[in-house]
Amino acid sequence: MSGRFAFQWVAVTGGDNGILGVWPEKWRRRDAFLLAFDRRGRIAVAALRIIVFSPFGFALRATRDSPLRSEAIGIDGKRIQWTRL
């Protein structure tokens, strides 16, 4: 109820149009916007690469490829899979 009330409060939120006039001037340039998302994408790829090539990533692959063999070398497959979530 309160969310609906706040959304339809035209004097504060602008109604269906949202809050107007809040957009920062420096983000109006398209290249600044694209550079920000490029930077975020590169950071995400770097983070995934670090995770994949860490011991945790290798344990995930071992558990996926051969659960029996990974259990034999001491990897708790269920714990690794739950940690992944």
Side-chain angles (χ1 to χ4, degrees):
M1 180 73 176
S2 63
R4 184 174 159 202
F5 176 72
F7 178 74
Q8 292 179 351
W9 195 359
V10 177
V12 175
T13 64
D16 294 338
N17 296 329
I19 299 174
L20 302 174
V22 182
W23 198 257
E25 285 295 322
K26 64 182 179 180
W27 284 98
R28 288 195 176 198
R29 290 187 20 235
R30 183 172 170 81
D31 54 335
F33 185 73
L34 293 176
L35 285 175
F37 276 95
D38 181 54
R39 186 178 303 131
R40 287 182 184 175
R42 288 177 189 264
I43 290 170
V45 167
L48 282 174
R49 182 171 167 75
I50 289 170
I51 291 170
V52 166
F53 291 110
S54 71
F56 177 69
F58 286 121
L60 272 173
R61 278 193 259 170
T63 303
R64 178 198 65 201
D65 292 343
S66 179
L68 184 61
R69 191 178 295 172
S70 65
E71 291 284 339
I73 62 173
I75 298 174
D76 185 8
K78 289 296 179 193
R79 184 179 59 88
I80 292 292
Q81 289 175 347
W82 277 105
T83 305
R84 172 192 64 184
L85 290 176

Coordinates of all heavy atoms in Angstrom, one line a residue:
M1 N 0.8 -1.2 0.0 CA 0.0 0.0 0.0 C 0.9 1.2 0.0 O 0.6 2.2 -0.7 CB -0.9 0.0 1.2 CG -1.8 1.1 1.3 SD -3.1 1.0 0.1 CE -4.1 2.4 0.5
S2 N 1.9 1.3 0.9 CA 2.7 2.5 0.9 C 3.5 2.7 -0.3 O 3.8 3.8 -0.7 CB 3.6 2.4 2.1 OG 4.5 1.3 2.0
G3 N 4.0 1.6 -1.0 CA 4.7 1.7 -2.2 C 3.8 2.3 -3.3 O 4.3 3.2 -4.1
R4 N 2.6 1.9 -3.4 CA 1.6 2.4 -4.4 C 1.4 3.9 -4.1 O 1.3 4.7 -5.0 CB 0.4 1.6 -4.3 CG -0.6 2.0 -5.3 CD -1.8 1.0 -5.3 NE -2.9 1.7 -5.9 CZ -4.2 1.4 -5.7 NH1 -4.5 0.4 -4.9 NH2 -5.1 2.0 -6.3
F5 N 1.2 4.2 -2.9 CA 1.0 5.6 -2.5 C 2.2 6.5 -2.9 O 2.0 7.5 -3.5 CB 0.7 5.7 -1.0 CG 0.6 7.1 -0.5 CD1 -0.6 7.8 -0.7 CD2 1.6 7.7 0.3 CE1 -0.7 9.1 -0.3 CE2 1.4 9.0 0.8 CZ 0.3 9.7 0.5
A6 N 3.4 6.0 -2.6 CA 4.6 6.8 -2.9 C 4.7 6.9 -4.5 O 5.2 7.9 -5.0 CB 5.8 6.2 -2.3
F7 N 4.4 5.9 -5.2 CA 4.5 5.9 -6.6 C 3.6 6.9 -7.3 O 3.9 7.5 -8.2 CB 4.3 4.5 -7.2 CG 4.4 4.4 -8.7 CD1 5.7 4.5 -9.3 CD2 3.3 4.3 -9.5 CE1 5.8 4.5 -10.7 CE2 3.4 4.2 -10.9 CZ 4.6 4.4 -11.5
Q8 N 2.4 6.9 -6.7 CA 1.4 7.8 -7.3 C 1.3 9.2 -6.8 O 0.5 10.0 -7.2 CB 0.0 7.1 -7.2 CG -0.1 5.9 -8.0 CD -1.5 5.2 -7.8 OE1 -2.3 5.6 -6.9 NE2 -1.8 4.2 -8.6
W9 N 2.3 9.5 -5.9 CA 2.3 10.8 -5.3 C 3.1 11.7 -6.3 O 4.3 11.9 -6.3 CB 3.1 10.8 -4.0 CG 3.0 12.0 -3.1 CD1 2.3 13.1 -3.4 CD2 3.6 12.1 -1.9 NE1 2.4 14.0 -2.3 CE2 3.2 13.4 -1.4 CE3 4.4 11.3 -1.1 CZ2 3.7 13.8 -0.2 CZ3 4.8 11.8 0.1 CH2 4.4 13.0 0.6
V10 N 2.3 12.3 -7.2 CA 2.8 13.0 -8.4 C 3.6 14.2 -8.0 O 4.6 14.6 -8.6 CB 1.7 13.4 -9.3 CG1 2.2 14.3 -10.5 CG2 0.9 12.2 -9.8
A11 N 3.3 14.9 -6.9 CA 4.0 16.1 -6.5 C 5.5 15.7 -6.1 O 6.4 16.6 -6.2 CB 3.3 16.8 -5.3
V12 N 5.7 14.5 -5.6 CA 7.0 14.1 -5.1 C 7.8 13.3 -6.1 O 8.9 13.7 -6.5 CB 6.9 13.3 -3.8 CG1 8.3 12.8 -3.4 CG2 6.3 14.2 -2.7
T13 N 7.2 12.3 -6.7 CA 7.9 11.4 -7.6 C 7.7 11.7 -9.1 O 8.4 11.1 -9.9 CB 7.4 9.9 -7.3 OG1 6.1 9.8 -7.7 CG2 7.7 9.5 -5.9
G14 N 6.8 12.5 -9.4 CA 6.5 12.8 -10.8 C 5.5 11.7 -11.4 O 5.3 11.7 -12.6
G15 N 5.0 10.8 -10.5 CA 4.1 9.8 -11.0 C 4.7 8.8 -11.9 O 5.8 8.3 -11.6
D16 N 4.1 8.5 -13.0 CA 4.7 7.5 -14.0 C 6.0 7.9 -14.6 O 6.7 7.1 -15.1 CB 3.6 7.2 -15.1 CG 2.4 6.5 -14.5 OD1 2.5 5.9 -13.4 OD2 1.4 6.6 -15.2
N17 N 6.3 9.2 -14.6 CA 7.5 9.7 -15.3 C 8.7 9.6 -14.4 O 9.8 9.8 -14.8 CB 7.3 11.1 -15.7 CG 6.2 11.3 -16.7 OD1 6.0 10.4 -17.5 ND2 5.5 12.4 -16.7
G18 N 8.5 9.3 -13.1 CA 9.7 9.2 -12.2 C 10.1 10.6 -11.7 O 9.5 11.6 -12.0
I19 N 11.2 10.6 -11.0 CA 11.7 11.9 -10.5 C 12.5 12.6 -11.6 O 13.4 12.0 -12.2 CB 12.6 11.6 -9.3 CG1 11.8 10.9 -8.2 CG2 13.2 12.9 -8.8 CD1 12.7 10.5 -7.0
L20 N 12.1 13.7 -12.0 CA 12.6 14.5 -13.1 C 13.7 15.4 -12.7 O 13.7 15.9 -11.6 CB 11.5 15.2 -13.8 CG 10.4 14.4 -14.4 CD1 9.3 15.3 -14.9 CD2 10.8 13.4 -15.4
G21 N 14.7 15.6 -13.5 CA 15.8 16.6 -13.3 C 16.8 16.1 -12.3 O 17.6 16.9 -11.8
V22 N 17.0 14.8 -12.1 CA 18.0 14.3 -11.2 C 19.2 13.8 -11.9 O 20.2 13.5 -11.3 CB 17.4 13.2 -10.3 CG1 18.4 12.7 -9.3 CG2 16.2 13.7 -9.6
W23 N 19.2 13.7 -13.2 CA 20.2 13.1 -14.0 C 21.5 14.0 -14.0 O 21.4 15.2 -14.3 CB 19.8 13.0 -15.5 CG 20.6 12.1 -16.3 CD1 21.5 12.4 -17.2 CD2 20.6 10.7 -16.3 NE1 22.1 11.3 -17.8 CE2 21.5 10.2 -17.2 CE3 19.9 9.7 -15.6 CZ2 21.8 8.9 -17.5 CZ3 20.1 8.4 -15.8 CH2 21.0 8.0 -16.8
P24 N 22.6 13.5 -13.6 CA 23.8 14.3 -13.5 C 24.3 14.8 -14.9 O 24.2 14.0 -15.9 CB 24.9 13.4 -12.9 CG 24.1 12.3 -12.3 CD 22.9 12.2 -13.0
E25 N 24.8 16.0 -15.0 CA 25.2 16.5 -16.3 C 26.3 15.7 -16.9 O 26.3 15.6 -18.1 CB 25.7 18.0 -16.1 CG 24.5 18.9 -15.8 CD 23.6 19.0 -17.1 OE1 24.1 19.0 -18.2 OE2 22.4 19.1 -16.9
K26 N 27.3 15.3 -16.2 CA 28.4 14.6 -16.8 C 28.0 13.2 -17.4 O 28.7 12.7 -18.3 CB 29.6 14.3 -15.8 CG 29.2 13.4 -14.7 CD 30.4 13.3 -13.7 CE 30.0 12.4 -12.5 NZ 31.1 12.3 -11.6
W27 N 26.9 12.6 -17.0 CA 26.4 11.4 -17.6 C 25.6 11.6 -18.9 O 25.2 10.6 -19.5 CB 25.6 10.6 -16.6 CG 26.4 10.0 -15.5 CD1 26.7 10.5 -14.3 CD2 27.1 8.8 -15.6 NE1 27.5 9.6 -13.6 CE2 27.8 8.6 -14.4 CE3 27.3 7.8 -16.7 CZ2 28.6 7.5 -14.2 CZ3 28.1 6.7 -16.4 CH2 28.7 6.6 -15.2
R28 N 25.4 12.8 -19.2 CA 24.6 13.0 -20.4 C 25.4 12.7 -21.7 O 24.9 12.4 -22.7 CB 24.1 14.5 -20.5 CG 23.0 14.7 -19.5 CD 22.3 16.0 -19.8 NE 21.2 16.0 -18.9 CZ 20.2 16.8 -19.0 NH1 20.1 17.6 -20.1 NH2 19.2 16.8 -18.2
R29 N 26.7 12.8 -21.5 CA 27.6 12.4 -22.7 C 27.6 10.9 -22.8 O 27.8 10.2 -21.9 CB 29.0 12.9 -22.4 CG 29.1 14.4 -22.4 CD 30.6 14.9 -22.3 NE 31.6 13.9 -22.7 CZ 32.6 13.6 -21.8 NH1 32.7 14.2 -20.7 NH2 33.5 12.8 -22.2
R30 N 27.4 10.5 -24.0 CA 27.3 9.0 -24.3 C 28.6 8.3 -24.1 O 28.6 7.2 -23.5 CB 26.8 8.8 -25.8 CG 26.6 7.4 -26.1 CD 26.0 7.3 -27.5 NE 26.0 5.9 -28.0 CZ 25.1 5.0 -27.7 NH1 24.1 5.3 -26.8 NH2 25.1 3.8 -28.2
D31 N 29.7 8.9 -24.4 CA 31.0 8.2 -24.2 C 31.3 8.0 -22.7 O 31.9 7.0 -22.4 CB 32.1 8.9 -24.9 CG 32.2 10.4 -24.5 OD1 31.2 11.0 -24.1 OD2 33.3 11.0 -24.7
A32 N 30.9 8.9 -21.9 CA 31.1 8.7 -20.4 C 30.3 7.5 -19.9 O 30.8 6.7 -19.1 CB 30.8 10.0 -19.6
F33 N 29.1 7.5 -20.4 CA 28.2 6.4 -20.0 C 28.8 5.0 -20.5 O 28.8 4.1 -19.7 CB 26.8 6.6 -20.7 CG 25.8 5.6 -20.3 CD1 25.2 5.7 -19.0 CD2 25.3 4.7 -21.2 CE1 24.2 4.8 -18.6 CE2 24.3 3.8 -20.8 CZ 23.8 3.9 -19.5
L34 N 29.2 5.0 -21.7 CA 29.8 3.7 -22.2 C 31.1 3.3 -21.5 O 31.4 2.2 -21.3 CB 30.0 3.8 -23.7 CG 28.8 4.0 -24.6 CD1 29.1 4.2 -26.0 CD2 27.9 2.7 -24.4
L35 N 31.9 4.3 -21.2 CA 33.1 4.0 -20.5 C 32.9 3.5 -19.1 O 33.6 2.6 -18.6 CB 34.0 5.3 -20.4 CG 34.7 5.7 -21.6 CD1 35.4 7.0 -21.4 CD2 35.7 4.7 -22.1
A36 N 31.8 4.0 -18.4 CA 31.5 3.4 -17.1 C 31.1 2.0 -17.2 O 31.5 1.1 -16.4 CB 30.4 4.3 -16.5
F37 N 30.3 1.6 -18.2 CA 29.8 0.3 -18.3 C 30.9 -0.6 -18.8 O 31.0 -1.8 -18.5 CB 28.6 0.2 -19.2 CG 27.3 0.4 -18.4 CD1 26.8 1.7 -18.4 CD2 26.8 -0.6 -17.7 CE1 25.6 1.9 -17.7 CE2 25.6 -0.3 -16.9 CZ 25.1 0.9 -16.9
D38 N 31.8 -0.1 -19.6 CA 33.0 -0.9 -20.1 C 33.9 -1.2 -18.9 O 34.4 -2.3 -18.7 CB 33.8 -0.1 -21.1 CG 35.0 -0.8 -21.6 OD1 34.8 -2.0 -22.0 OD2 36.1 -0.3 -21.5
R39 N 34.1 -0.2 -18.0 CA 34.9 -0.4 -16.8 C 34.2 -1.5 -15.9 O 34.9 -2.4 -15.4 CB 35.0 0.9 -16.0 CG 35.9 0.8 -14.8 CD 36.1 2.1 -14.1 NE 36.6 3.1 -15.0 CZ 36.1 4.3 -15.1 NH1 35.1 4.6 -14.4 NH2 36.6 5.2 -16.0
R40 N 32.9 -1.4 -15.7 CA 32.2 -2.4 -14.9 C 32.3 -3.8 -15.5 O 32.5 -4.8 -14.8 CB 30.7 -2.1 -14.8 CG 30.5 -0.9 -13.8 CD 29.0 -0.6 -13.7 NE 28.8 0.5 -12.9 CZ 27.6 1.1 -12.7 NH1 26.6 0.5 -13.2 NH2 27.5 2.1 -11.9
G41 N 32.2 -3.9 -16.8 CA 32.4 -5.2 -17.5 C 33.7 -5.8 -17.3 O 33.9 -7.0 -17.1
R42 N 34.8 -4.9 -17.4 CA 36.1 -5.4 -17.3 C 36.4 -5.9 -15.8 O 37.1 -6.9 -15.6 CB 37.1 -4.3 -17.7 CG 37.2 -4.1 -19.2 CD 38.1 -3.0 -19.5 NE 38.0 -2.6 -20.9 CZ 38.8 -3.0 -21.8 NH1 39.8 -3.9 -21.5 NH2 38.7 -2.7 -23.1
I43 N 35.8 -5.2 -14.9 CA 36.0 -5.6 -13.5 C 35.3 -6.9 -13.2 O 35.8 -7.8 -12.5 CB 35.5 -4.5 -12.5 CG1 36.4 -3.3 -12.6 CG2 35.3 -5.0 -11.1 CD1 35.9 -2.0 -11.9
A44 N 34.1 -7.1 -13.8 CA 33.4 -8.4 -13.6 C 34.1 -9.5 -14.3 O 34.2 -10.6 -13.7 CB 32.0 -8.2 -14.3
V45 N 34.7 -9.3 -15.5 CA 35.5 -10.4 -16.1 C 36.7 -10.7 -15.3 O 37.1 -11.9 -15.1 CB 35.8 -10.0 -17.6 CG1 36.9 -10.9 -18.2 CG2 34.6 -10.0 -18.4
A46 N 37.4 -9.7 -14.8 CA 38.6 -9.9 -14.0 C 38.2 -10.7 -12.7 O 39.0 -11.6 -12.3 CB 39.3 -8.6 -13.6
A47 N 37.1 -10.3 -12.1 CA 36.7 -11.0 -10.9 C 36.4 -12.5 -11.2 O 36.8 -13.4 -10.4 CB 35.5 -10.4 -10.2
L48 N 35.7 -12.8 -12.3 CA 35.4 -14.1 -12.6 C 36.6 -14.9 -12.9 O 36.8 -16.1 -12.6 CB 34.4 -14.2 -13.8 CG 33.0 -13.9 -13.5 CD1 32.2 -13.8 -14.8 CD2 32.4 -15.0 -12.6
R49 N 37.6 -14.3 -13.6 CA 38.9 -15.0 -13.9 C 39.6 -15.3 -12.6 O 40.2 -16.4 -12.5 CB 39.7 -14.1 -14.8 CG 41.0 -14.7 -15.2 CD 41.7 -13.9 -16.3 NE 43.1 -14.3 -16.4 CZ 43.5 -15.4 -17.1 NH1 42.6 -16.2 -17.6 NH2 44.8 -15.7 -17.2
I50 N 39.6 -14.4 -11.7 CA 40.3 -14.7 -10.4 C 39.6 -15.9 -9.7 O 40.3 -16.8 -9.2 CB 40.3 -13.5 -9.5 CG1 41.2 -12.4 -10.1 CG2 40.6 -13.8 -8.1 CD1 41.1 -11.1 -9.4
I51 N 38.3 -15.9 -9.7 CA 37.5 -17.0 -9.1 C 37.8 -18.3 -9.8 O 38.0 -19.4 -9.2 CB 36.0 -16.7 -9.0 CG1 35.8 -15.6 -8.0 CG2 35.2 -17.9 -8.6 CD1 34.4 -15.0 -8.0
V52 N 37.7 -18.3 -11.1 CA 37.9 -19.6 -11.9 C 39.3 -20.2 -11.7 O 39.4 -21.4 -11.6 CB 37.6 -19.3 -13.4 CG1 38.1 -20.4 -14.2 CG2 36.1 -19.0 -13.6
F53 N 40.3 -19.4 -11.6 CA 41.6 -19.9 -11.5 C 42.1 -20.0 -10.1 O 43.3 -20.2 -9.8 CB 42.6 -19.1 -12.4 CG 42.3 -19.4 -13.8 CD1 41.8 -18.4 -14.6 CD2 42.6 -20.6 -14.4 CE1 41.5 -18.6 -16.0 CE2 42.3 -20.9 -15.7 CZ 41.8 -19.9 -16.5
S54 N 41.3 -19.8 -9.1 CA 41.6 -20.0 -7.7 C 41.4 -21.4 -7.3 O 40.9 -22.2 -8.0 CB 40.7 -19.1 -6.8 OG 39.4 -19.6 -6.8
P55 N 41.9 -21.8 -6.1 CA 41.7 -23.2 -5.7 C 40.2 -23.5 -5.6 O 39.8 -24.7 -5.8 CB 42.4 -23.2 -4.3 CG 43.4 -22.2 -4.4 CD 42.9 -21.1 -5.3
F56 N 39.4 -22.5 -5.2 CA 38.0 -22.8 -5.2 C 37.4 -23.1 -6.6 O 36.6 -24.1 -6.7 CB 37.2 -21.6 -4.7 CG 35.7 -21.7 -4.6 CD1 35.1 -22.6 -3.8 CD2 35.0 -20.9 -5.5 CE1 33.7 -22.7 -3.8 CE2 33.6 -21.0 -5.5 CZ 33.0 -21.9 -4.6
G57 N 37.9 -22.4 -7.6 CA 37.4 -22.7 -9.0 C 37.9 -24.1 -9.4 O 37.1 -24.8 -10.1
F58 N 39.1 -24.4 -9.1 CA 39.6 -25.8 -9.5 C 38.8 -26.9 -8.7 O 38.5 -27.9 -9.3 CB 41.1 -25.9 -9.2 CG 42.0 -25.2 -10.2 CD1 42.8 -24.2 -9.7 CD2 41.9 -25.5 -11.5 CE1 43.6 -23.5 -10.7 CE2 42.7 -24.8 -12.4 CZ 43.5 -23.8 -12.0
A59 N 38.4 -26.6 -7.5 CA 37.6 -27.6 -6.7 C 36.3 -27.7 -7.4 O 35.7 -28.8 -7.4 CB 37.5 -27.2 -5.3
L60 N 35.7 -26.6 -7.8 CA 34.4 -26.7 -8.5 C 34.5 -27.5 -9.8 O 33.6 -28.4 -10.0 CB 33.9 -25.3 -8.9 CG 33.1 -24.5 -7.8 CD1 32.9 -23.1 -8.3 CD2 31.8 -25.2 -7.6
R61 N 35.5 -27.3 -10.5 CA 35.7 -28.1 -11.8 C 35.9 -29.6 -11.5 O 35.4 -30.4 -12.2 CB 36.9 -27.5 -12.6 CG 36.5 -26.4 -13.4 CD 37.5 -26.0 -14.4 NE 38.3 -24.9 -13.9 CZ 39.4 -24.5 -14.4 NH1 39.9 -25.1 -15.5 NH2 40.0 -23.5 -13.9
A62 N 36.7 -29.8 -10.4 CA 37.0 -31.2 -10.1 C 35.7 -31.9 -9.7 O 35.4 -33.1 -10.0 CB 38.0 -31.3 -9.0
T63 N 34.9 -31.2 -8.9 CA 33.6 -31.8 -8.4 C 32.7 -32.0 -9.6 O 32.0 -33.0 -9.6 CB 33.0 -30.9 -7.4 OG1 33.9 -30.7 -6.3 CG2 31.7 -31.5 -6.8
R64 N 32.7 -31.1 -10.5 CA 31.8 -31.2 -11.7 C 32.3 -32.4 -12.6 O 31.5 -33.2 -13.1 CB 31.8 -30.0 -12.5 CG 31.0 -30.0 -13.8 CD 31.3 -29.0 -14.7 NE 32.7 -29.1 -15.2 CZ 33.4 -28.2 -15.8 NH1 32.9 -27.0 -15.9 NH2 34.6 -28.5 -16.2
D65 N 33.6 -32.5 -12.9 CA 34.1 -33.5 -13.8 C 34.0 -34.9 -13.2 O 33.7 -35.8 -14.0 CB 35.5 -33.1 -14.2 CG 35.6 -31.9 -15.0 OD1 34.6 -31.4 -15.5 OD2 36.7 -31.3 -15.1
S66 N 34.4 -35.0 -12.0 CA 34.5 -36.4 -11.4 C 34.2 -36.3 -9.9 O 35.2 -36.2 -9.1 CB 35.8 -37.1 -11.7 OG 35.8 -38.3 -11.1
P67 N 33.0 -36.4 -9.5 CA 32.7 -36.3 -8.0 C 33.4 -37.4 -7.2 O 33.9 -37.1 -6.1 CB 31.2 -36.5 -8.0 CG 30.7 -36.2 -9.3 CD 31.8 -36.6 -10.3
L68 N 33.5 -38.6 -7.7 CA 34.1 -39.7 -7.0 C 35.6 -39.4 -6.8 O 36.2 -39.6 -5.7 CB 33.9 -41.0 -7.7 CG 34.4 -42.2 -7.0 CD1 33.7 -42.4 -5.7 CD2 34.2 -43.5 -7.9
R69 N 36.2 -39.0 -7.9 CA 37.7 -38.7 -7.8 C 38.0 -37.5 -6.9 O 38.9 -37.5 -6.1 CB 38.2 -38.4 -9.2 CG 39.7 -38.4 -9.2 CD 40.2 -38.2 -10.6 NE 39.9 -39.3 -11.5 CZ 40.0 -39.4 -12.8 NH1 40.5 -38.3 -13.4 NH2 39.7 -40.4 -13.5
S70 N 37.1 -36.5 -6.9 CA 37.4 -35.3 -6.1 C 37.1 -35.7 -4.6 O 37.9 -35.2 -3.7 CB 36.5 -34.2 -6.5 OG 35.1 -34.5 -6.2
E71 N 36.2 -36.5 -4.3 CA 36.0 -37.0 -2.9 C 37.2 -37.8 -2.5 O 37.6 -37.7 -1.3 CB 34.7 -37.9 -2.8 CG 33.4 -37.1 -3.0 CD 33.0 -36.3 -1.8 OE1 33.5 -36.6 -0.7 OE2 32.2 -35.4 -1.9
A72 N 37.8 -38.6 -3.4 CA 39.0 -39.4 -3.0 C 40.2 -38.5 -2.7 O 41.0 -38.9 -1.8 CB 39.3 -40.3 -4.2
I73 N 40.3 -37.3 -3.3 CA 41.5 -36.5 -2.9 C 41.2 -35.5 -1.8 O 42.0 -34.7 -1.5 CB 42.0 -35.8 -4.2 CG1 41.0 -34.8 -4.7 CG2 42.5 -36.7 -5.2 CD1 41.5 -33.9 -5.9
G74 N 40.0 -35.6 -1.2 CA 39.7 -34.8 0.0 C 38.8 -33.6 -0.2 O 38.7 -32.8 0.7
I75 N 38.2 -33.4 -1.4 CA 37.3 -32.3 -1.6 C 35.9 -32.7 -1.2 O 35.4 -33.6 -1.7 CB 37.4 -31.9 -3.1 CG1 38.8 -31.4 -3.5 CG2 36.4 -30.7 -3.4 CD1 39.0 -31.1 -5.0
D76 N 35.4 -31.9 -0.3 CA 34.0 -32.1 0.1 C 33.1 -31.5 -1.0 O 32.9 -30.3 -1.0 CB 33.7 -31.5 1.4 CG 32.3 -31.8 2.0 OD1 31.6 -32.6 1.3 OD2 32.0 -31.2 3.0
G77 N 32.6 -32.3 -1.9 CA 31.8 -31.8 -3.0 C 30.6 -31.1 -2.7 O 30.3 -30.0 -3.3
K78 N 29.8 -31.5 -1.7 CA 28.6 -30.9 -1.3 C 28.9 -29.5 -0.7 O 28.2 -28.5 -1.0 CB 27.8 -31.7 -0.3 CG 27.2 -33.0 -0.9 CD 26.2 -32.6 -2.0 CE 25.6 -33.8 -2.6 NZ 24.8 -33.5 -3.8
R79 N 29.9 -29.4 0.1 CA 30.3 -28.1 0.7 C 30.7 -27.1 -0.4 O 30.3 -26.0 -0.4 CB 31.4 -28.3 1.7 CG 31.7 -27.0 2.4 CD 32.8 -27.2 3.4 NE 34.1 -27.7 2.9 CZ 35.0 -26.9 2.3 NH1 34.9 -25.6 2.3 NH2 36.1 -27.4 1.8
I80 N 31.5 -27.6 -1.3 CA 31.9 -26.7 -2.4 C 30.7 -26.2 -3.2 O 30.6 -25.1 -3.6 CB 32.9 -27.4 -3.3 CG1 34.2 -27.7 -2.6 CG2 33.2 -26.7 -4.6 CD1 35.0 -26.4 -2.3
Q81 N 29.8 -27.2 -3.5 CA 28.6 -26.8 -4.3 C 27.7 -25.8 -3.5 O 27.1 -24.9 -4.1 CB 27.8 -28.0 -4.7 CG 28.6 -28.8 -5.8 CD 27.9 -30.1 -6.1 OE1 27.0 -30.6 -5.4 NE2 28.3 -30.7 -7.2
W82 N 27.6 -26.0 -2.2 CA 26.7 -25.1 -1.4 C 27.4 -23.7 -1.3 O 26.8 -22.7 -1.3 CB 26.4 -25.6 -0.1 CG 25.3 -26.6 -0.1 CD1 25.3 -27.9 0.0 CD2 23.9 -26.2 -0.2 NE1 24.1 -28.4 -0.1 CE2 23.2 -27.4 -0.2 CE3 23.2 -25.0 -0.3 CZ2 21.8 -27.4 -0.3 CZ3 21.8 -25.0 -0.4 CH2 21.1 -26.2 -0.4
T83 N 28.7 -23.7 -1.2 CA 29.5 -22.4 -1.2 C 29.3 -21.7 -2.5 O 29.3 -20.5 -2.5 CB 31.0 -22.7 -0.9 OG1 31.1 -23.5 0.3 CG2 31.7 -21.4 -0.7
R84 N 29.2 -22.4 -3.6 CA 29.1 -21.8 -4.9 C 27.8 -20.9 -4.9 O 27.7 -19.9 -5.6 CB 29.0 -22.9 -6.0 CG 28.6 -22.4 -7.3 CD 28.3 -23.5 -8.2 NE 27.2 -24.2 -7.8 CZ 26.7 -25.3 -8.3 NH1 27.3 -25.9 -9.3 NH2 25.6 -25.9 -7.8
L85 N 26.8 -21.4 -4.3 CA 25.5 -20.7 -4.3 C 25.6 -19.4 -3.5 O 25.1 -18.4 -3.7 CB 24.4 -21.5 -3.7 CG 23.9 -22.7 -4.6 CD1 22.9 -23.5 -3.9 CD2 23.4 -22.2 -5.9

